Amino acid sequence: MNFPGVDNEIEINYEENRDKVEAAYKNEKMKTNLAGNDAMAEIEGGLSQMELTPKTADEEVITQVIEAFGIEEGFTEIEVEVTYPDGVKKEYKQISN
């Protein structure tokens, strides 16, 4: 997720493979850079609010991400990559003016 200016980027990574979970959270605006359990603690509330499936409309995925992570208006770009449990990989992207 990018906001105007380099100092406002938010990057969230979450990967779950079998019993292994990797998480990272970087928020330039808030000067936060977390990994592992600290990152998971920061993002798990947002993740738990989202209900995504491969059939979820692209616009709905972006809306859920914005709401779940409290993204303020003024973002320039949101890019989401999801690999669903059945192996389907999808990318969602929204660019604002």
Side-chain angles (χ1 to χ4, degrees), residues 69-84:
F69 292 101
I71 297 175
E72 300 171 10
E73 289 185 32
F75 66 86
T76 56
E77 180 178 339
I78 293 179
E79 185 174 325
V80 179
E81 297 176 17
V82 179
T83 302
Y84 292 96

Side-chain angles (χ1 to χ4, degrees), residues 50-62 64 80-92:
M50 297 189 307
E51 295 181 17
L52 307 179
T53 71
K55 294 183 180 182
T56 304
D58 292 11
E59 299 81 20
E60 177 62 22
V61 171
I62 297 296
Q64 285 190 42
V80 179
E81 297 176 17
V82 179
T83 302
Y84 292 96
D86 62 0
V88 172
K89 294 181 182 182
K90 291 192 79 174
E91 290 185 23
Y92 309 91

Side-chain angles (χ1 to χ4, degrees), residues 17-65:
N17 291 321
R18 298 185 186 173
D19 295 330
K20 183 180 177 186
V21 174
E22 292 180 25
Y25 176 80
K26 182 178 181 181
N27 184 331
E28 294 288 341
K29 186 175 183 179
M30 304 301 281
K31 306 288 187 230
T32 304
N33 192 0
L34 305 171
N37 291 338
D38 292 335
M40 193 61 207
E42 185 70 31
I43 65 175
E44 88 181 319
L47 292 175
S48 68
Q49 292 178 36
M50 297 189 307
E51 295 181 17
L52 307 179
T53 71
K55 294 183 180 182
T56 304
D58 292 11
E59 299 81 20
E60 177 62 22
V61 171
I62 297 296
T63 297
Q64 285 190 42
V65 169

